[in-house]
Amino acid sequence: MPNDLLTLLGPAADFLRDLLQTSSHGVAVVDRNLRYVALNTRHADANARPLTEHLGVSVDQVAPSLAFPLHRLLKDVFDTGQPALGRRLVRDNPQQPGQVLAWSVDALPVRNAAGAVTAVCLLFTAPPEEGHAGPTGRIPDRLWALTKTLPTSRSLDDVIRLVMDEAVPTTGAVAAGLALLDEDRTLLKVLGASGYDAVTLHTWPTVPLTLPIPATTAVQEGRALFLTWSDVQEQFSQAATRPTYQGQAHVALPLMQEEVSLGCLTLSFPDRVPFTLAEQTVMGALAETCAQTITSLRLRDAERLARSESQRTAAYLDSVLERSPNGVAFLDVKLRFVRVNAPFAVFSRRGCRIIRERRGVRFCRTGSPYRRHSR
């Protein structure tokens, strides 16, 4: 097994070699750039690529659908130095297009001799409740493709359009809604919907979390609900009396980001038999991708707002410096001048004595520039 790159990892190399050779599960070691340092044959087979085509190559190139959910997981491990255990990961099946695989992933930090985290060891195992690498039911190719398209959205409107116009029809749902929690986290604000009449949309622009319906339950408990009509009648008897629920199966998917609910994606279907594991997996993957995309868009908007605020502050300070008839100076935390205006510069040249006391050091004006004098 050509895992020579392991020698770069120092004291952990021997342990990792033993793990790669003896584990019955998929094992891979990746560096900070998400490049394969080492892997075993079982993981290479899962990617439908020879082992030798992985080494030194980024996961993005070898298995793009695997790279997307791994990025945030690995960032957390590298940043905190703490392992991440039992994380659920959903990806496509390279050997059978149209199917998805669900894995449980353990991410373990690998440290060099100096104690710095230089790589992460990944162990891929089948979730115990499934008993195999993933569901075997046929998944619509277009729906799985949307889980890859969503992250390219440039706005929340793009996300809503893709979900309502493309994802919903592909699932076979007759109605759907996408709602996000308000700032107080007491209401679900409906941002997009399809299949509902105008009266319903006008009546319910927001939904209080105190209302006992599948969407609010999914958000508060952080779990997906896949309900047949009889399930709705049994578990949500009050909601079952409403026209929007009568005679229909219902899916409520919380939009989760790091165990925090952002909102909910709901889908309504003509009454049917229970949802298969394959259907649950791909709809869950759609919701996960929605949550990740919305989080990325929010972070981007926050960064843009911060830059805008910084530019406005800088413009204001420029105005103060240029227009003030009084002397103005800005100093950093070490009392070094950052900027001064013309009146201050004129004032400082008059030889006025200015004394600043800070941490036992006196800053005394005896000429230009300031000279530092120790007590």
Side-chain angles (χ1 to χ4, degrees), residues 232-297:
V232 174
Q233 290 177 300
E234 180 180 347
Q235 300 177 35
F236 299 93
S237 57
Q238 182 179 344
T241 62
R242 301 177 183 275
T244 51
Y245 288 90
Q246 288 184 357
Q248 295 184 354
H250 197 77
V251 172
L253 303 165
L255 304 179
M256 303 293 296
Q257 186 61 32
E258 297 182 352
E259 300 183 359
V260 176
S261 294
L262 306 179
C264 191
L265 173 63
T266 58
L267 303 166
S268 296
F269 300 81
D271 192 24
R272 44 162 297 160
V273 297
F275 293 89
T276 66
L277 183 58
E279 291 172 315
Q280 294 181 34
T281 300
V282 75
M283 283 190 275
L286 178 63
E288 290 173 11
T289 307
C290 279
Q292 292 168 353
T293 304
I294 290 169
T295 299
S296 296
L297 290 171

Short mmCIF file of all heavy atoms in Angstrom, two decimals, residues 232-297:
data_model
loop_
_atom_site.label_atom_id
_atom_site.label_comp_id
_atom_site.label_asym_id
_atom_site.label_seq_id
_atom_site.Cartn_x
_atom_site.Cartn_y
_atom_site.Cartn_z
N VAL A 232 -50.52 11.67 10.77
CA VAL A 232 -50.94 13.05 11.06
C VAL A 232 -52.15 13.03 11.98
O VAL A 232 -52.21 13.78 12.97
CB VAL A 232 -51.27 13.81 9.75
CG1 VAL A 232 -51.84 15.19 10.07
CG2 VAL A 232 -50.02 13.94 8.89
N GLN A 233 -53.13 12.18 11.69
CA GLN A 233 -54.32 12.09 12.52
C GLN A 233 -53.98 11.67 13.95
O GLN A 233 -54.56 12.19 14.92
CB GLN A 233 -55.31 11.09 11.92
CG GLN A 233 -55.96 11.56 10.63
CD GLN A 233 -56.86 10.50 10.05
OE1 GLN A 233 -56.41 9.38 9.74
NE2 GLN A 233 -58.13 10.82 9.92
N GLU A 234 -53.04 10.75 14.10
CA GLU A 234 -52.70 10.22 15.41
C GLU A 234 -51.84 11.19 16.22
O GLU A 234 -52.07 11.39 17.41
CB GLU A 234 -51.95 8.89 15.25
CG GLU A 234 -51.55 8.25 16.58
CD GLU A 234 -50.80 6.94 16.38
OE1 GLU A 234 -50.82 6.41 15.24
OE2 GLU A 234 -50.18 6.46 17.36
N GLN A 235 -50.86 11.83 15.56
CA GLN A 235 -49.88 12.64 16.29
C GLN A 235 -50.22 14.13 16.32
O GLN A 235 -49.77 14.85 17.21
CB GLN A 235 -48.49 12.45 15.67
CG GLN A 235 -48.01 11.02 15.70
CD GLN A 235 -46.66 10.84 15.01
OE1 GLN A 235 -45.80 11.72 15.06
NE2 GLN A 235 -46.48 9.71 14.34
N PHE A 236 -51.03 14.58 15.33
CA PHE A 236 -51.37 16.01 15.25
C PHE A 236 -52.86 16.15 14.96
O PHE A 236 -53.27 16.62 13.90
CB PHE A 236 -50.54 16.70 14.15
CG PHE A 236 -49.07 16.63 14.38
CD1 PHE A 236 -48.31 15.60 13.83
CD2 PHE A 236 -48.43 17.59 15.15
CE1 PHE A 236 -46.94 15.54 14.05
CE2 PHE A 236 -47.06 17.54 15.37
CZ PHE A 236 -46.32 16.50 14.83
N SER A 237 -53.65 15.73 15.92
CA SER A 237 -55.10 15.69 15.71
C SER A 237 -55.68 17.07 15.42
O SER A 237 -56.62 17.21 14.62
CB SER A 237 -55.78 15.08 16.94
OG SER A 237 -55.44 15.83 18.12
N GLN A 238 -55.12 18.11 16.04
CA GLN A 238 -55.63 19.46 15.79
C GLN A 238 -55.31 19.91 14.37
O GLN A 238 -56.16 20.45 13.67
CB GLN A 238 -55.03 20.44 16.79
CG GLN A 238 -55.54 21.87 16.64
CD GLN A 238 -54.93 22.81 17.67
OE1 GLN A 238 -54.37 22.38 18.67
NE2 GLN A 238 -55.05 24.11 17.43
N ALA A 239 -54.09 19.64 13.91
CA ALA A 239 -53.72 20.02 12.55
C ALA A 239 -54.50 19.22 11.51
O ALA A 239 -54.81 19.72 10.43
CB ALA A 239 -52.22 19.81 12.35
N ALA A 240 -54.85 17.98 11.85
CA ALA A 240 -55.54 17.11 10.89
C ALA A 240 -56.90 17.66 10.47
O ALA A 240 -57.44 17.28 9.43
CB ALA A 240 -55.70 15.71 11.48
N THR A 241 -57.48 18.56 11.26
CA THR A 241 -58.78 19.13 10.91
C THR A 241 -58.66 20.26 9.88
O THR A 241 -59.67 20.69 9.33
CB THR A 241 -59.46 19.69 12.17
OG1 THR A 241 -58.65 20.75 12.72
CG2 THR A 241 -59.62 18.60 13.22
N ARG A 242 -57.44 20.72 9.64
CA ARG A 242 -57.26 21.83 8.69
C ARG A 242 -57.21 21.30 7.26
O ARG A 242 -56.66 20.23 6.99
CB ARG A 242 -55.96 22.58 9.00
CG ARG A 242 -55.94 23.17 10.42
CD ARG A 242 -54.60 23.84 10.71
NE ARG A 242 -54.55 24.34 12.07
CZ ARG A 242 -55.02 25.53 12.45
NH1 ARG A 242 -55.57 26.33 11.54
NH2 ARG A 242 -54.93 25.91 13.71
N PRO A 243 -57.78 22.05 6.33
CA PRO A 243 -57.83 21.60 4.92
C PRO A 243 -56.46 21.29 4.34
O PRO A 243 -56.33 20.40 3.49
CB PRO A 243 -58.49 22.77 4.20
CG PRO A 243 -59.27 23.48 5.26
CD PRO A 243 -58.48 23.33 6.52
N THR A 244 -55.42 22.03 4.77
CA THR A 244 -54.09 21.83 4.19
C THR A 244 -53.46 20.50 4.58
O THR A 244 -52.45 20.09 4.01
CB THR A 244 -53.14 22.97 4.62
OG1 THR A 244 -53.19 23.12 6.03
CG2 THR A 244 -53.55 24.27 3.96
N TYR A 245 -54.04 19.81 5.57
CA TYR A 245 -53.48 18.53 6.01
C TYR A 245 -54.38 17.35 5.66
O TYR A 245 -53.91 16.21 5.61
CB TYR A 245 -53.26 18.54 7.53
CG TYR A 245 -52.11 19.41 7.97
CD1 TYR A 245 -52.31 20.74 8.29
CD2 TYR A 245 -50.82 18.89 8.07
CE1 TYR A 245 -51.27 21.55 8.70
CE2 TYR A 245 -49.76 19.69 8.48
CZ TYR A 245 -49.99 21.02 8.78
OH TYR A 245 -48.94 21.82 9.18
N GLN A 246 -55.64 17.58 5.45
CA GLN A 246 -56.59 16.48 5.33
C GLN A 246 -56.27 15.57 4.14
O GLN A 246 -56.06 16.03 3.03
CB GLN A 246 -58.01 17.03 5.20
CG GLN A 246 -58.53 17.60 6.52
CD GLN A 246 -59.97 18.07 6.42
OE1 GLN A 246 -60.58 18.02 5.36
NE2 GLN A 246 -60.52 18.53 7.54
N GLY A 247 -56.20 14.27 4.46
CA GLY A 247 -56.02 13.26 3.43
C GLY A 247 -54.63 13.22 2.82
O GLY A 247 -54.44 12.58 1.78
N GLN A 248 -53.65 13.87 3.45
CA GLN A 248 -52.33 13.95 2.85
C GLN A 248 -51.24 13.40 3.77
O GLN A 248 -51.35 13.45 4.99
CB GLN A 248 -51.98 15.41 2.51
CG GLN A 248 -52.88 16.01 1.44
CD GLN A 248 -52.44 17.42 1.06
OE1 GLN A 248 -51.54 17.98 1.69
NE2 GLN A 248 -53.07 17.99 0.05
N ALA A 249 -50.20 12.86 3.12
CA ALA A 249 -48.98 12.53 3.85
C ALA A 249 -48.17 13.82 3.96
O ALA A 249 -48.31 14.73 3.13
CB ALA A 249 -48.19 11.47 3.10
N HIS A 250 -47.34 13.89 4.99
CA HIS A 250 -46.67 15.16 5.25
C HIS A 250 -45.24 14.92 5.71
O HIS A 250 -44.98 14.05 6.54
CB HIS A 250 -47.44 15.93 6.33
CG HIS A 250 -47.10 17.38 6.40
ND1 HIS A 250 -47.59 18.29 5.50
CD2 HIS A 250 -46.31 18.07 7.24
CE1 HIS A 250 -47.13 19.49 5.80
NE2 HIS A 250 -46.34 19.38 6.86
N VAL A 251 -44.30 15.72 5.17
CA VAL A 251 -42.89 15.64 5.56
C VAL A 251 -42.47 17.00 6.11
O VAL A 251 -42.73 18.03 5.48
CB VAL A 251 -41.99 15.25 4.37
CG1 VAL A 251 -40.52 15.36 4.74
CG2 VAL A 251 -42.32 13.84 3.90
N ALA A 252 -41.85 17.01 7.28
CA ALA A 252 -41.32 18.25 7.87
C ALA A 252 -39.84 18.04 8.13
O ALA A 252 -39.45 17.17 8.92
CB ALA A 252 -42.05 18.59 9.17
N LEU A 253 -39.01 18.83 7.44
CA LEU A 253 -37.56 18.67 7.51
C LEU A 253 -36.93 19.90 8.17
O LEU A 253 -36.94 20.99 7.58
CB LEU A 253 -36.98 18.50 6.09
CG LEU A 253 -37.55 17.35 5.27
CD1 LEU A 253 -37.20 17.51 3.81
CD2 LEU A 253 -37.03 16.02 5.81
N PRO A 254 -36.40 19.78 9.36
CA PRO A 254 -35.75 20.95 9.99
C PRO A 254 -34.48 21.30 9.23
O PRO A 254 -33.75 20.41 8.78
CB PRO A 254 -35.44 20.45 11.41
CG PRO A 254 -35.28 18.98 11.26
CD PRO A 254 -36.26 18.56 10.20
N LEU A 255 -34.22 22.59 9.08
CA LEU A 255 -32.99 23.05 8.45
C LEU A 255 -31.98 23.25 9.57
O LEU A 255 -32.01 24.25 10.28
CB LEU A 255 -33.24 24.36 7.69
CG LEU A 255 -34.37 24.30 6.63
CD1 LEU A 255 -34.54 25.65 5.96
CD2 LEU A 255 -34.09 23.21 5.61
N MET A 256 -31.09 22.29 9.73
CA MET A 256 -30.18 22.27 10.86
C MET A 256 -28.78 22.69 10.45
O MET A 256 -28.28 22.27 9.40
CB MET A 256 -30.11 20.87 11.47
CG MET A 256 -31.45 20.30 11.90
SD MET A 256 -32.15 21.21 13.30
CE MET A 256 -30.94 20.88 14.56
N GLN A 257 -28.17 23.53 11.28
CA GLN A 257 -26.77 23.90 11.08
C GLN A 257 -26.07 23.81 12.43
O GLN A 257 -26.33 24.60 13.33
CB GLN A 257 -26.65 25.32 10.52
CG GLN A 257 -25.24 25.73 10.15
CD GLN A 257 -24.64 24.84 9.07
OE1 GLN A 257 -25.35 24.33 8.20
NE2 GLN A 257 -23.35 24.64 9.11
N GLU A 258 -25.18 22.82 12.56
CA GLU A 258 -24.47 22.59 13.82
C GLU A 258 -25.44 22.49 15.00
O GLU A 258 -25.32 23.19 16.01
CB GLU A 258 -23.43 23.70 14.05
CG GLU A 258 -22.35 23.72 12.98
CD GLU A 258 -21.30 24.78 13.23
OE1 GLU A 258 -21.51 25.59 14.15
OE2 GLU A 258 -20.29 24.80 12.52
N GLU A 259 -26.44 21.63 14.84
CA GLU A 259 -27.42 21.32 15.88
C GLU A 259 -28.32 22.49 16.25
O GLU A 259 -28.98 22.48 17.29
CB GLU A 259 -26.71 20.79 17.14
CG GLU A 259 -25.89 19.52 16.87
CD GLU A 259 -25.25 18.97 18.12
OE1 GLU A 259 -25.42 19.58 19.18
OE2 GLU A 259 -24.60 17.91 18.03
N VAL A 260 -28.35 23.51 15.42
CA VAL A 260 -29.25 24.65 15.63
C VAL A 260 -30.24 24.71 14.48
O VAL A 260 -29.86 24.64 13.31
CB VAL A 260 -28.46 25.97 15.71
CG1 VAL A 260 -29.41 27.16 15.83
CG2 VAL A 260 -27.50 25.95 16.89
N SER A 261 -31.53 24.84 14.81
CA SER A 261 -32.56 24.91 13.78
C SER A 261 -32.61 26.32 13.18
O SER A 261 -32.67 27.31 13.91
CB SER A 261 -33.94 24.57 14.37
OG SER A 261 -33.99 23.23 14.77
N LEU A 262 -32.56 26.37 11.86
CA LEU A 262 -32.71 27.65 11.16
C LEU A 262 -34.15 27.86 10.72
O LEU A 262 -34.61 28.99 10.59
CB LEU A 262 -31.80 27.70 9.92
CG LEU A 262 -30.31 27.42 10.12
CD1 LEU A 262 -29.59 27.49 8.78
CD2 LEU A 262 -29.72 28.40 11.12
N GLY A 263 -34.85 26.77 10.47
CA GLY A 263 -36.21 26.85 9.96
C GLY A 263 -36.67 25.47 9.54
O GLY A 263 -36.21 24.45 10.08
N CYS A 264 -37.56 25.41 8.54
CA CYS A 264 -38.14 24.13 8.17
C CYS A 264 -38.54 24.11 6.70
O CYS A 264 -39.00 25.14 6.15
CB CYS A 264 -39.36 23.84 9.04
SG CYS A 264 -39.99 22.15 8.90
N LEU A 265 -38.36 22.98 6.07
CA LEU A 265 -38.88 22.71 4.73
C LEU A 265 -39.98 21.67 4.86
O LEU A 265 -39.75 20.59 5.43
CB LEU A 265 -37.76 22.18 3.82
CG LEU A 265 -38.18 21.68 2.43
CD1 LEU A 265 -38.77 22.82 1.60
CD2 LEU A 265 -36.99 21.04 1.71
N THR A 266 -41.18 22.00 4.38
CA THR A 266 -42.31 21.07 4.49
C THR A 266 -42.77 20.64 3.11
O THR A 266 -42.74 21.43 2.16
CB THR A 266 -43.49 21.71 5.24
OG1 THR A 266 -43.90 22.90 4.54
CG2 THR A 266 -43.10 22.08 6.66
N LEU A 267 -43.18 19.38 3.01
CA LEU A 267 -43.66 18.80 1.75
C LEU A 267 -44.95 18.03 2.02
O LEU A 267 -45.02 17.28 2.99
CB LEU A 267 -42.62 17.86 1.14
CG LEU A 267 -41.23 18.44 0.86
CD1 LEU A 267 -40.23 17.33 0.59
CD2 LEU A 267 -41.30 19.40 -0.33
N SER A 268 -45.94 18.22 1.18
CA SER A 268 -47.21 17.49 1.30
C SER A 268 -47.42 16.59 0.09
O SER A 268 -47.17 17.00 -1.04
CB SER A 268 -48.38 18.47 1.43
OG SER A 268 -48.26 19.24 2.61
N PHE A 269 -47.89 15.36 0.35
CA PHE A 269 -48.07 14.36 -0.70
C PHE A 269 -49.48 13.78 -0.62
O PHE A 269 -50.09 13.77 0.46
CB PHE A 269 -47.08 13.20 -0.53
CG PHE A 269 -45.63 13.60 -0.60
CD1 PHE A 269 -44.99 14.14 0.51
CD2 PHE A 269 -44.90 13.42 -1.77
CE1 PHE A 269 -43.66 14.50 0.46
CE2 PHE A 269 -43.56 13.78 -1.83
CZ PHE A 269 -42.93 14.32 -0.72
N PRO A 270 -50.00 13.28 -1.74
CA PRO A 270 -51.23 12.50 -1.64
C PRO A 270 -50.98 11.33 -0.68
O PRO A 270 -49.85 10.83 -0.60
CB PRO A 270 -51.46 12.01 -3.08
CG PRO A 270 -50.71 13.00 -3.93
CD PRO A 270 -49.52 13.41 -3.13
N ASP A 271 -51.98 10.92 0.06
CA ASP A 271 -51.78 9.87 1.05
C ASP A 271 -51.13 8.65 0.41
O ASP A 271 -51.42 8.30 -0.74
CB ASP A 271 -53.10 9.47 1.70
CG ASP A 271 -52.87 8.60 2.93
OD1 ASP A 271 -51.77 8.70 3.51
OD2 ASP A 271 -53.77 7.83 3.28
N ARG A 272 -50.27 8.00 1.16
CA ARG A 272 -49.43 6.96 0.58
C ARG A 272 -48.95 6.02 1.68
O ARG A 272 -49.18 6.25 2.87
CB ARG A 272 -48.23 7.58 -0.11
CG ARG A 272 -47.59 8.70 0.73
CD ARG A 272 -46.20 9.04 0.31
NE ARG A 272 -45.33 7.89 0.47
CZ ARG A 272 -44.17 7.76 -0.16
NH1 ARG A 272 -43.75 8.69 -0.99
NH2 ARG A 272 -43.42 6.69 0.02
N VAL A 273 -48.19 4.99 1.26
CA VAL A 273 -47.58 4.09 2.24
C VAL A 273 -46.39 4.81 2.87
O VAL A 273 -45.95 5.86 2.37
CB VAL A 273 -47.10 2.80 1.55
CG1 VAL A 273 -48.28 2.04 0.98
CG2 VAL A 273 -46.09 3.10 0.45
N PRO A 274 -45.85 4.30 3.97
CA PRO A 274 -44.72 4.97 4.61
C PRO A 274 -43.57 5.25 3.64
O PRO A 274 -43.32 4.48 2.71
CB PRO A 274 -44.30 3.99 5.72
CG PRO A 274 -45.56 3.26 6.05
CD PRO A 274 -46.29 3.12 4.75
N PHE A 275 -42.86 6.33 3.88
CA PHE A 275 -41.73 6.73 3.03
C PHE A 275 -40.58 5.73 3.20
O PHE A 275 -40.27 5.30 4.31
CB PHE A 275 -41.25 8.13 3.42
CG PHE A 275 -42.24 9.20 3.12
CD1 PHE A 275 -43.20 9.56 4.06
CD2 PHE A 275 -42.25 9.86 1.90
CE1 PHE A 275 -44.13 10.55 3.81
CE2 PHE A 275 -43.18 10.86 1.63
CZ PHE A 275 -44.13 11.21 2.58
N THR A 276 -39.97 5.37 2.08
CA THR A 276 -38.84 4.44 2.13
C THR A 276 -37.61 5.14 2.71
O THR A 276 -37.53 6.37 2.75
CB THR A 276 -38.49 3.91 0.74
OG1 THR A 276 -37.99 5.00 -0.07
CG2 THR A 276 -39.72 3.29 0.07
N LEU A 277 -36.66 4.33 3.14
CA LEU A 277 -35.42 4.87 3.68
C LEU A 277 -34.69 5.70 2.62
O LEU A 277 -34.09 6.74 2.93
CB LEU A 277 -34.52 3.73 4.18
CG LEU A 277 -33.21 4.15 4.84
CD1 LEU A 277 -33.46 5.05 6.03
CD2 LEU A 277 -32.42 2.91 5.25
N ALA A 278 -34.75 5.25 1.37
CA ALA A 278 -34.09 5.99 0.29
C ALA A 278 -34.71 7.37 0.12
O ALA A 278 -34.01 8.37 -0.04
CB ALA A 278 -34.19 5.20 -1.02
N GLU A 279 -36.04 7.43 0.17
CA GLU A 279 -36.72 8.72 0.05
C GLU A 279 -36.37 9.64 1.22
O GLU A 279 -36.12 10.84 1.04
CB GLU A 279 -38.23 8.50 -0.02
CG GLU A 279 -38.70 7.83 -1.30
CD GLU A 279 -40.17 7.47 -1.23
OE1 GLU A 279 -40.61 6.92 -0.20
OE2 GLU A 279 -40.89 7.74 -2.21
N GLN A 280 -36.36 9.07 2.42
CA GLN A 280 -36.03 9.87 3.60
C GLN A 280 -34.60 10.41 3.50
O GLN A 280 -34.33 11.57 3.85
CB GLN A 280 -36.17 9.02 4.86
CG GLN A 280 -37.60 8.60 5.15
CD GLN A 280 -37.72 7.78 6.43
OE1 GLN A 280 -36.97 8.01 7.38
NE2 GLN A 280 -38.63 6.82 6.45
N THR A 281 -33.69 9.60 2.99
CA THR A 281 -32.29 10.01 2.91
C THR A 281 -32.10 11.17 1.94
O THR A 281 -31.43 12.16 2.25
CB THR A 281 -31.40 8.83 2.48
OG1 THR A 281 -31.51 7.78 3.45
CG2 THR A 281 -29.94 9.26 2.37
N VAL A 282 -32.69 11.06 0.76
CA VAL A 282 -32.44 12.11 -0.23
C VAL A 282 -33.16 13.40 0.15
O VAL A 282 -32.64 14.50 -0.06
CB VAL A 282 -32.85 11.65 -1.64
CG1 VAL A 282 -34.36 11.64 -1.83
CG2 VAL A 282 -32.18 12.52 -2.69
N MET A 283 -34.36 13.30 0.76
CA MET A 283 -35.02 14.53 1.21
C MET A 283 -34.27 15.15 2.38
O MET A 283 -34.18 16.37 2.50
CB MET A 283 -36.48 14.22 1.57
CG MET A 283 -37.37 14.06 0.35
SD MET A 283 -39.15 13.99 0.75
CE MET A 283 -39.33 12.24 1.13
N GLY A 284 -33.70 14.30 3.24
CA GLY A 284 -32.87 14.81 4.32
C GLY A 284 -31.63 15.51 3.79
O GLY A 284 -31.22 16.56 4.30
N ALA A 285 -31.03 14.95 2.73
CA ALA A 285 -29.85 15.58 2.12
C ALA A 285 -30.22 16.93 1.52
O ALA A 285 -29.43 17.88 1.58
CB ALA A 285 -29.27 14.65 1.05
N LEU A 286 -31.40 17.01 0.92
CA LEU A 286 -31.86 18.28 0.35
C LEU A 286 -31.98 19.34 1.45
O LEU A 286 -31.53 20.49 1.28
CB LEU A 286 -33.20 18.08 -0.35
CG LEU A 286 -33.85 19.33 -0.95
CD1 LEU A 286 -32.99 19.91 -2.05
CD2 LEU A 286 -35.25 19.00 -1.46
N ALA A 287 -32.56 18.96 2.58
CA ALA A 287 -32.71 19.91 3.69
C ALA A 287 -31.36 20.32 4.26
O ALA A 287 -31.14 21.50 4.58
CB ALA A 287 -33.58 19.29 4.79
N GLU A 288 -30.44 19.35 4.39
CA GLU A 288 -29.11 19.68 4.91
C GLU A 288 -28.40 20.67 4.00
O GLU A 288 -27.75 21.62 4.46
CB GLU A 288 -28.29 18.39 5.04
CG GLU A 288 -28.76 17.47 6.15
CD GLU A 288 -28.02 16.14 6.13
OE1 GLU A 288 -27.02 16.03 5.39
OE2 GLU A 288 -28.44 15.22 6.85
N THR A 289 -28.53 20.46 2.69
CA THR A 289 -27.87 21.35 1.74
C THR A 289 -28.50 22.74 1.79
O THR A 289 -27.80 23.75 1.69
CB THR A 289 -27.97 20.78 0.31
OG1 THR A 289 -27.47 19.44 0.30
CG2 THR A 289 -27.15 21.62 -0.66
N CYS A 290 -29.83 22.80 1.92
CA CYS A 290 -30.50 24.09 2.07
C CYS A 290 -29.95 24.85 3.28
O CYS A 290 -29.64 26.04 3.19
CB CYS A 290 -32.01 23.89 2.26
SG CYS A 290 -32.92 23.60 0.75
N ALA A 291 -29.82 24.15 4.42
CA ALA A 291 -29.34 24.80 5.64
C ALA A 291 -27.91 25.30 5.46
O ALA A 291 -27.57 26.43 5.86
CB ALA A 291 -29.42 23.82 6.81
N GLN A 292 -27.06 24.48 4.86
CA GLN A 292 -25.66 24.88 4.66
C GLN A 292 -25.57 26.08 3.72
O GLN A 292 -24.78 27.01 3.94
CB GLN A 292 -24.86 23.71 4.10
CG GLN A 292 -24.68 22.58 5.10
CD GLN A 292 -24.14 21.32 4.47
OE1 GLN A 292 -24.01 21.21 3.25
NE2 GLN A 292 -23.82 20.33 5.29
N THR A 293 -26.39 26.08 2.68
CA THR A 293 -26.36 27.18 1.72
C THR A 293 -26.86 28.47 2.35
O THR A 293 -26.28 29.54 2.16
CB THR A 293 -27.22 26.83 0.49
OG1 THR A 293 -26.76 25.60 -0.09
CG2 THR A 293 -27.14 27.93 -0.56
N ILE A 294 -27.96 28.38 3.10
CA ILE A 294 -28.50 29.57 3.77
C ILE A 294 -27.48 30.13 4.76
O ILE A 294 -27.29 31.36 4.85
CB ILE A 294 -29.82 29.23 4.47
CG1 ILE A 294 -30.91 28.96 3.43
CG2 ILE A 294 -30.27 30.36 5.40
CD1 ILE A 294 -32.18 28.36 4.00
N THR A 295 -26.80 29.26 5.50
CA THR A 295 -25.78 29.72 6.44
C THR A 295 -24.64 30.43 5.71
O THR A 295 -24.18 31.49 6.15
CB THR A 295 -25.21 28.53 7.24
OG1 THR A 295 -26.27 27.93 7.99
CG2 THR A 295 -24.13 28.98 8.20
N SER A 296 -24.20 29.87 4.60
CA SER A 296 -23.12 30.50 3.82
C SER A 296 -23.55 31.86 3.30
O SER A 296 -22.77 32.82 3.32
CB SER A 296 -22.73 29.59 2.65
OG SER A 296 -22.20 28.38 3.10
N LEU A 297 -24.79 31.97 2.84
CA LEU A 297 -25.29 33.25 2.34
C LEU A 297 -25.36 34.28 3.46
O LEU A 297 -25.03 35.46 3.26
CB LEU A 297 -26.67 33.06 1.70
CG LEU A 297 -26.70 32.29 0.38
CD1 LEU A 297 -28.14 31.98 -0.03
CD2 LEU A 297 -26.01 33.08 -0.73
#
